Amino acid sequence: MIIAKFCGWFHSRLATDPDPSDEKRGISGMIKVYPGEPDLDRLIRFQAPPFDLRSYAPKVGVTITRVFVDSKEMSNHPLTGGAVNLLGSPMFKGENGIVAEDGLEPIVPFIFEIKTPKIHLIRTVEDSPAFVMHPYKKLQAGAIVDNYGAMAESTKIYDARNYFLQRAQQIEHDIKAEKDELKKEIGARRVKFLKSRGATQFFSAYMAWSIPLEGKGEVTIKEPSLKETITLKHRWSVNLQLGGWDPDVMCGFAEGYLVIST
């Protein structure tokens, strides 16, 4: 059995209540889009997006950080460092409570990928109504958990309030040197939000999913040092947690495990 731990910052530009889920710019909810920025699209990006993030955002990229084979950690396993991604333009599909309540939204579709220069693994869920049709019962999050200590340890942000205040100070410093009035105003609005309670409101909470991967996939291995046999004949599964929400830059922290039976 292979157990691969992954973690890293992800990015998702999504409208928040009471805005409708398909709102493009943000009107009444916490998330607002500033001039010059792309529309909200709800997509979940585990790797860097094709556009610039707001200043002082964390580096986006979810990767394999540890690998265990038959209960033994393998320090130089070929999967270590591999890029983890969700394919198919996945998004949180809660639809303002029509599909699922806040914090329990399914990720639709759920197509999991690991990619290294010589290994490419893709696997999705089985093609059954509970996974691919409204209300996506088997894709909904199992729980939303508030655990400040766990999130602090994962993100290495041990004082979220101070973390956001430091960013506010950095932006204030940038405003002093900025000559463009529009950019000054955008910076001032970011500072105001970063100093508000809303900035840290959801930092310590994480959503948790447990997703069996028993559907179609792809296994391409050109790495001779990989000793384990990975096939689609056996069940895979993913345990995923998304938390550490940073609404200023619309990023969060992803952490979890891919389990592959061999």
XYZ file of all heavy atoms in Angstrom, residues 196-249:
429
model
N -10.249 44.010 9.730
C -11.571 43.648 10.232
C -11.592 42.212 10.749
O -10.691 41.404 10.455
C -12.616 43.805 9.131
O -12.486 42.766 8.160
N -12.622 41.868 11.488
C -12.777 40.503 12.000
C -13.000 39.498 10.873
O -12.674 38.322 10.996
C -13.945 40.443 12.982
C -13.714 41.182 14.282
C -14.863 40.954 15.240
N -15.005 39.541 15.569
C -16.006 39.049 16.290
N -16.949 39.851 16.758
N -16.062 37.754 16.547
N -13.571 39.979 9.758
C -13.854 39.083 8.647
C -12.624 38.430 8.059
O -12.699 37.331 7.505
N -11.466 39.074 8.198
C -10.239 38.534 7.608
C -9.873 37.183 8.202
O -9.402 36.281 7.509
C -9.092 39.520 7.775
N -10.084 37.018 9.502
C -9.685 35.773 10.173
C -10.859 34.869 10.509
O -10.685 33.825 11.124
C -8.940 36.091 11.477
O -9.802 36.873 12.319
C -7.657 36.851 11.212
N -12.050 35.242 10.078
C -13.260 34.560 10.501
C -13.249 33.059 10.244
O -13.720 32.267 11.063
C -14.471 35.191 9.809
C -15.812 34.640 10.265
C -16.967 35.378 9.609
O -16.773 36.309 8.824
N -18.172 34.963 9.931
N -12.696 32.656 9.100
C -12.744 31.240 8.735
C -11.362 30.598 8.665
O -11.218 29.494 8.145
C -13.461 31.073 7.388
C -14.875 31.567 7.401
C -15.220 32.722 6.733
C -15.853 30.884 8.109
C -16.524 33.196 6.750
C -17.161 31.345 8.136
C -17.502 32.503 7.453
N -10.353 31.274 9.193
C -8.993 30.743 9.054
C -8.833 29.382 9.733
O -8.202 28.474 9.193
C -7.973 31.727 9.634
C -6.561 31.225 9.567
C -5.832 31.346 8.406
C -5.967 30.587 10.652
C -4.543 30.855 8.315
C -4.678 30.093 10.575
C -3.963 30.231 9.400
N -9.392 29.206 10.917
C -9.139 27.985 11.691
C -10.051 26.825 11.305
O -9.871 25.707 11.784
C -9.296 28.267 13.182
O -10.613 28.689 13.482
N -11.027 27.076 10.441
C -11.962 26.020 10.057
C -11.490 25.312 8.795
O -10.899 25.927 7.901
C -13.350 26.609 9.834
N -11.738 24.017 8.732
C -11.442 23.293 7.496
C -12.581 22.352 7.135
O -13.290 21.840 7.984
C -10.109 22.546 7.571
C -10.024 21.453 8.611
C -10.539 20.180 8.369
C -9.385 21.681 9.830
C -10.435 19.175 9.317
C -9.289 20.686 10.784
C -9.817 19.427 10.514
O -9.721 18.440 11.460
N -12.764 22.183 5.831
C -13.737 21.244 5.297
C -13.017 19.929 5.046
O -11.860 19.924 4.627
C -14.331 21.786 3.996
C -14.995 23.138 4.134
S -15.239 23.973 2.550
C -16.467 22.904 1.780
N -13.713 18.820 5.276
C -13.071 17.500 5.154
C -13.879 16.589 4.243
O -15.101 16.479 4.377
C -12.922 16.867 6.530
N -13.176 15.959 3.325
C -13.783 14.998 2.402
C -13.046 13.663 2.496
O -11.838 13.622 2.746
C -13.673 15.452 0.954
C -14.449 16.651 0.562
C -15.669 16.715 -0.051
C -14.038 18.022 0.697
N -16.040 18.006 -0.285
C -15.063 18.836 0.167
C -12.902 18.623 1.233
C -14.984 20.219 0.150
C -12.825 20.002 1.226
C -13.849 20.786 0.693
N -13.776 12.586 2.246
C -13.193 11.257 2.069
C -13.799 10.691 0.793
O -14.989 10.360 0.753
C -13.499 10.354 3.268
O -12.900 9.082 3.100
N -12.986 10.607 -0.256
C -13.493 10.298 -1.591
C -12.859 9.010 -2.119
O -11.635 8.939 -2.302
C -13.186 11.442 -2.579
C -13.670 12.777 -2.032
C -13.792 11.132 -3.943
C -15.149 12.928 -1.944
N -13.655 7.972 -2.371
C -13.109 6.778 -3.018
C -12.905 7.031 -4.505
O -13.763 7.622 -5.170
C -14.199 5.725 -2.781
C -15.460 6.518 -2.644
C -15.076 7.831 -2.020
N -11.768 6.618 -5.010
C -11.466 6.762 -6.435
C -11.490 5.372 -7.066
O -10.521 4.617 -6.985
C -10.098 7.416 -6.625
C -9.921 8.817 -6.028
C -8.511 9.327 -6.275
C -10.943 9.786 -6.584
N -12.594 5.046 -7.689
C -12.767 3.709 -8.276
C -13.232 3.783 -9.724
O -13.728 2.809 -10.272
C -13.760 2.905 -7.440
C -13.300 2.704 -6.002
C -14.288 1.940 -5.148
O -15.375 2.497 -4.869
O -13.975 0.800 -4.778
N -13.067 4.967 -10.323
C -13.493 5.148 -11.693
C -12.340 5.081 -12.675
O -11.297 4.477 -12.414
N -12.533 5.735 -13.806
C -11.532 5.723 -14.862
C -10.287 6.493 -14.430
O -10.317 7.293 -13.502
C -12.112 6.336 -16.128
C -13.275 5.555 -16.713
C -13.815 6.253 -17.955
C -15.000 5.484 -18.533
N -15.553 6.146 -19.746
N -9.206 6.233 -15.149
C -7.976 6.924 -14.822
C -6.877 6.645 -15.822
O -7.117 6.104 -16.906
N -5.694 7.036 -15.426
C -4.522 6.875 -16.288
C -3.301 6.643 -15.417
O -3.107 7.329 -14.403
C -4.325 8.135 -17.142
C -3.066 8.155 -17.972
C -2.855 9.486 -18.681
O -3.848 10.164 -19.002
O -1.680 9.850 -18.893
N -2.506 5.658 -15.786
C -1.253 5.393 -15.086
C -0.133 5.357 -16.114
O -0.076 4.444 -16.946
C -1.305 4.058 -14.305
C 0.063 3.768 -13.681
C -2.385 4.092 -13.242
N 0.738 6.354 -16.085
C 1.886 6.403 -16.982
C 3.137 6.483 -16.118
O 3.326 7.456 -15.375
C 1.821 7.619 -17.918
O 0.611 7.559 -18.674
C 3.010 7.630 -18.864
N 3.973 5.459 -16.212
C 5.173 5.403 -15.375
C 6.391 5.153 -16.251
O 6.489 4.133 -16.933
C 5.059 4.297 -14.304
C 3.872 4.605 -13.369
C 6.356 4.182 -13.502
C 3.581 3.519 -12.379
N 7.320 6.107 -16.236
C 8.579 5.990 -16.960
C 9.754 6.146 -15.999
O 10.844 6.546 -16.406
C 8.650 7.040 -18.067
C 7.538 6.908 -19.097
C 7.632 7.997 -20.154
C 6.507 7.881 -21.175
N 6.583 8.946 -22.207
N 9.476 5.842 -14.747
C 10.459 5.988 -13.678
C 10.887 4.604 -13.192
O 10.147 3.927 -12.474
C 9.852 6.798 -12.537
C 10.745 6.947 -11.316
C 12.098 7.529 -11.650
O 12.174 8.741 -11.909
O 13.073 6.746 -11.661
N 12.085 4.141 -13.580
C 12.521 2.792 -13.196
C 12.728 2.603 -11.699
O 12.685 1.468 -11.209
C 13.838 2.612 -13.966
C 14.314 3.999 -14.272
C 13.070 4.814 -14.452
N 12.924 3.695 -10.959
C 13.171 3.552 -9.522
C 11.882 3.314 -8.730
O 11.944 3.016 -7.536
C 13.894 4.785 -8.980
O 13.084 5.934 -9.090
N 10.727 3.429 -9.385
C 9.466 3.150 -8.704
C 9.273 1.642 -8.633
O 9.073 0.973 -9.658
C 8.295 3.797 -9.449
C 6.925 3.578 -8.820
C 6.826 4.290 -7.477
C 5.814 4.061 -9.751
N 9.351 1.094 -7.446
C 9.312 -0.357 -7.273
C 7.886 -0.900 -7.150
O 7.633 -2.063 -7.451
C 10.109 -0.746 -6.023
C 11.544 -0.244 -6.015
C 12.333 -0.747 -7.222
C 13.780 -0.257 -7.180
N 14.543 -0.691 -8.379
N 6.946 -0.069 -6.690
C 5.583 -0.541 -6.461
C 4.808 -0.613 -7.781
O 5.051 0.171 -8.698
C 4.839 0.382 -5.489
C 5.487 0.489 -4.121
C 6.711 1.363 -4.121
O 6.664 2.450 -4.740
O 7.745 0.952 -3.523
N 3.874 -1.531 -7.831
C 3.011 -1.668 -8.999
C 1.722 -0.883 -8.758
O 0.965 -1.189 -7.841
C 2.677 -3.141 -9.270
O 3.890 -3.877 -9.497
C 1.774 -3.275 -10.496
N 1.511 0.125 -9.585
C 0.322 0.952 -9.462
C -0.596 0.661 -10.640
O -0.197 0.808 -11.799
C 0.683 2.449 -9.433
C 1.590 2.751 -8.234
C -0.568 3.311 -9.379
C 2.085 4.186 -8.185
N -1.816 0.229 -10.368
C -2.769 -0.074 -11.423
C -4.143 0.480 -11.056
O -4.400 0.878 -9.913
C -2.898 -1.591 -11.654
O -3.706 -2.165 -10.627
C -1.547 -2.279 -11.655
N -5.042 0.473 -12.023
C -6.417 0.889 -11.805
C -7.305 -0.280 -11.373
O -8.506 -0.110 -11.175
C -6.991 1.518 -13.081
C -6.255 2.744 -13.617
C -6.893 3.227 -14.913
C -6.226 3.862 -12.582
N -6.710 -1.448 -11.203
C -7.482 -2.625 -10.795
C -7.860 -2.559 -9.318
O -8.810 -3.202 -8.894
C -6.682 -3.895 -11.066
C -6.408 -4.158 -12.545
C -5.598 -5.433 -12.731
C -5.317 -5.693 -14.207
N -4.508 -6.934 -14.393
N -7.081 -1.810 -8.567
C -7.320 -1.718 -7.132
C -7.889 -0.342 -6.781
O -7.741 0.624 -7.520
C -6.026 -1.956 -6.359
C -5.389 -3.267 -6.652
N -5.972 -4.467 -6.334
C -4.209 -3.569 -7.247
C -5.188 -5.466 -6.701
N -4.098 -4.950 -7.261
N -8.500 -0.271 -5.629
C -9.125 0.970 -5.165
C -8.074 1.997 -4.730
O -7.081 1.645 -4.100
C -10.061 0.658 -3.999
C -10.599 1.887 -3.284
C -11.581 1.485 -2.222
N -11.910 2.634 -1.364
C -13.048 2.769 -0.707
N -13.951 1.832 -0.771
N -13.267 3.828 0.048
N -8.332 3.239 -5.080
C -7.596 4.366 -4.537
C -8.585 5.181 -3.701
O -9.805 5.044 -3.853
C -7.039 5.276 -5.628
C -6.142 4.635 -6.643
C -5.858 3.309 -6.800
C -5.430 5.318 -7.678
N -5.016 3.103 -7.852
C -4.733 4.327 -8.421
C -5.311 6.642 -8.054
C -3.929 4.650 -9.519
C -4.521 6.980 -9.148
C -3.828 5.984 -9.861
N -8.082 6.038 -2.842
C -8.965 6.934 -2.092
C -8.190 8.189 -1.703
O -6.956 8.175 -1.612
C -9.528 6.252 -0.846
O -8.494 5.904 0.059
N -8.945 9.273 -1.492
C -8.351 10.541 -1.108
C -9.034 11.066 0.145
O -10.267 11.100 0.227
C -8.492 11.599 -2.226
C -8.085 12.982 -1.722
C -7.639 11.227 -3.422
N -8.229 11.429 1.132
C -8.706 12.175 2.294
C -8.187 13.601 2.133
O -6.978 13.813 2.030
C -8.200 11.567 3.593
C -8.702 10.155 3.793
O -7.940 9.195 3.693
N -9.984 9.999 4.067
N -9.096 14.555 2.096
C -8.732 15.931 1.768
C -9.291 16.909 2.788
O -10.458 16.784 3.196
C -9.270 16.288 0.376
C -9.147 17.748 -0.083
C -7.687 18.162 -0.215
C -9.886 17.941 -1.403
N -8.471 17.863 3.190
C -8.909 18.946 4.059
C -8.534 20.279 3.398
O -7.404 20.454 2.947
C -8.242 18.870 5.435
C -8.588 17.624 6.225
C -7.862 17.551 7.549
O -7.096 18.453 7.900
N -8.093 16.507 8.293
N -9.490 21.193 3.355
C -9.240 22.534 2.845
C -9.595 23.532 3.935
O -10.724 23.523 4.440
C -10.086 22.817 1.590
C -9.847 21.917 0.377
C -10.752 22.345 -0.783
C -8.386 21.940 -0.054
N -8.649 24.370 4.305
C -8.878 25.337 5.376
C -7.914 26.499 5.260
O -7.408 26.802 4.186
N -7.650 27.160 6.392
C -6.722 28.284 6.388
C -7.134 29.382 5.432
O -6.282 30.022 4.797
N -8.459 29.631 5.324
C -8.964 30.537 4.295
C -8.460 31.968 4.496
O -8.577 32.540 5.565
C -10.479 30.509 4.287
C -11.118 31.348 3.221
C -11.973 32.392 3.417
C -10.941 31.237 1.810
N -12.342 32.925 2.201
C -11.722 32.236 1.191
C -10.188 30.387 0.997
C -11.779 32.412 -0.191
C -10.245 30.559 -0.384
C -11.032 31.558 -0.953
N -7.889 32.513 3.419
C -7.351 33.867 3.386
C -8.179 34.656 2.382
O -7.869 34.671 1.182
C -5.876 33.817 2.968
C -5.188 35.171 2.980
O -5.893 36.189 2.906
O -3.947 35.195 3.058
N -9.261 35.306 2.834
C -10.177 35.951 1.886
C -9.604 37.163 1.174
O -10.104 37.544 0.115
C -11.375 36.337 2.768
C -10.811 36.444 4.143
C -9.726 35.429 4.223
N -8.568 37.771 1.719
C -7.955 38.917 1.049
C -7.364 38.506 -0.288
O -7.535 39.201 -1.296
C -6.878 39.528 1.941
C -6.061 40.583 1.208
O -6.661 41.506 0.642
O -4.815 40.467 1.203
N -6.653 37.389 -0.319
C -6.019 36.938 -1.565
C -6.722 35.712 -2.162
O -6.281 35.154 -3.148
C -4.523 36.637 -1.339
C -3.762 37.918 -1.046
C -4.320 35.628 -0.212
